Amino acid sequence: MRNQTLRLGGALAASALLLTACGGGSEEGGNAEGGGDVGDMDAEFITIATGGSSGVYYQVGATMADILAETIDADTSVQATGASAENINMISDGDAELAFTMGDATVQAVEGTGPFEDDPREGLLAIAALYPNTVQLVATADSGIESVEDLAGANVAVGDVGSGVELNAQMVLDAYGMSYEDLNEDYLSYAEATDQMANGHIDAAFVTSGLPNPALTELGTSTDFVVVPIDGEGAENLLTDYDFFAEDVVPGGTYLQEEDVPTVGVTNHLIATADLSEDAVYEITAALFDNLDRIHGSHAAAEQITLETVTEGLVVPMHPGAERYFEEQGVSLD
């Protein structure tokens, strides 16, 4: 029987709805449908926790920081991090006001599982669902790896320790009846993983990001690699066991491959600290979504950020300041 490291189903959905429905009014006038009590911090200083400097989070986050600096005169900074788990810690520790997270890592934080074992986090509020992160398993052409099962005995980069990428790697392996014991795992960032693939030291790598991933695009200029499908019974296990996974595809031509490659994806979140006031987050949300054309220009993956999809795949309640802005725009928040 496969070891489910993370469970998300009806109970979590119900608890999320309960949090949303039962939150009290905020100090800035949050309503009963919002994220509950929020603080009174203004938007004068904003640190955005993103991901590795070669990843999509960082590129999109840098554009958001520029918009906020220019539009609401905030003193902004972009923090390169190990992504989701580290970003959630930064929000909890007061070291960041905004952060990019994947839905699966956010669920772990709320439930107190995985890297947050017995240390559940409170006060995680969403500004919006952004774009799907596609789980990409790539392997050098010389490795002969064509399936997840072929990873047995291979040298595989699984992402930074405790990152959303590493979490996905564990889940994918588990779904196929495998674990780290079946391969030689190496905890590497995207840039490190692709460098090691180019040097022949790593056979394959897990990359969970928007499409295309800049590090993989760069790798393709010097090294032949294949995109390994995540399909069949393993994919069905992922879709059945974890509600935050959805069917996804790496379209032909994204990298070196001609055909579409089936895989799974996870929704990205932009979350905010509950210390930010309703007015501050309203101001932040308006600045970002009134300038969506600039955000779309930051990376191809960001083109999927739209007003119509800001609630799709959310696993935590929305900050009342964001709710107010979206309601004014006629967005259904059901």
Side-chain angles (χ1 to χ4, degrees):
M1 182 176 181
R2 287 174 296 107
N3 175 30
Q4 292 187 18
T5 57
L6 177 61
R7 299 179 183 271
L8 173 65
L12 179 62
S15 64
L17 289 171
L18 182 64
L19 281 170
T20 305
C22 298
S26 75
E27 295 179 19
E28 297 295 324
N31 56 54
E33 296 180 354
D37 292 336
V38 294
D40 57 5
M41 182 188 296
D42 61 29
E44 182 179 2
F45 299 99
I46 301 174
T47 295
I48 306 177
T50 59
S53 57
S54 61
V56 181
Y57 281 177
Y58 190 88
Q59 293 188 22
V60 179
T63 298
M64 289 181 172
D66 289 343
I67 291 171
L68 295 175
E70 297 167 13
T71 306
I72 64 174
D73 198 29
D75 184 350
T76 62
S77 62
V78 183
Q79 182 68 50
T81 70
S84 297
E86 183 177 346
N87 293 353
I88 290 169
N89 286 332
M90 290 184 68
I91 289 286
S92 298
D93 295 341
D95 295 325
E97 286 66 54
L98 304 180
F100 288 77
T101 67
M102 289 198 297
D104 47 7
T106 308
V107 169
Q108 283 192 316
V110 172
E111 292 186 332
T113 59
F116 307 98
E117 187 72 35
D118 298 326
D119 186 21
R121 304 305 168 86
E122 299 179 352
L124 300 180
L125 299 176
I127 287 183
L130 299 177
Y131 57 88
N133 256 5
T134 301
V135 181
Q136 302 159 71
L137 174 57
V138 298
T140 61
D142 291 341
S143 70
I145 294 171
E146 298 180 348
S147 68
V148 175
E149 291 88 347
D150 288 342
L151 295 177
N155 299 318
V156 183
V158 295
D160 286 322
V161 175
S163 67
V165 181
E166 198 221 337
L167 172 63
N168 289 163
Q170 292 184 35
M171 290 178 173
V172 170
L173 292 171
D174 185 58
Y176 284 85
M178 301 175 66
S179 70
Y180 287 168
E181 293 182 359
D182 298 302
L183 46 87
N184 303 311
E185 80 277 10
D186 207 340
Y187 302 93
L188 302 174
S189 68
Y190 297 153
E192 292 169 333
T194 52
D195 283 346
Q196 293 300 312
M197 288 179 72
N199 293 333
H201 300 304
I202 290 292
D203 301 308
F206 282 92
V207 174
T208 303
S209 76
L211 296 172
N213 179 275
L216 292 181
T217 299
E218 177 65 23
L219 176 65
T221 64
S222 63
T223 305
D224 289 338
F225 68 88
V226 298
V227 182
V228 179
I230 298 175
D231 58 5
E233 184 178 355
E236 288 299 320
N237 289 334
L238 289 169
L239 296 171
T240 300
D241 293 345
Y242 308 110
D243 286 355
F244 46 73
F245 276 123
E247 292 182 354
D248 205 347
V249 65
V250 180
T254 300
Y255 303 114
L256 304 176
Q257 91 285 5
E258 296 181 359
E259 303 294 330
D260 292 353
V261 178
T263 184
V264 294
V266 183
T267 299
N268 284 308
H269 291 53
L270 180 64
I271 64 173
T273 173
D275 293 336
L276 284 168
S277 71
E278 178 179 330
D279 287 342
V281 172
Y282 174 88
E283 192 175 24
I284 290 168
T285 308
L288 297 177
F289 281 84
D290 287 350
N291 290 278
L292 268 183
D293 56 339
R294 290 183 59 184
I295 294 175
H296 290 167
S298 64
H299 190 276
E303 295 175 5
Q304 299 178 74
I305 303 173
T306 68
L307 279 171
E308 292 74 23
T309 58
V310 294
T311 63
E312 291 185 7
L314 286 184
V315 297
V316 290
M318 186 176 280
H319 194 291
E323 277 197 334
R324 173 152 56 103
Y325 172 81
F326 292 129
E327 287 172 346
E328 289 180 358
Q329 303 305 308
V331 176
S332 174
L333 301 181
D334 291 341

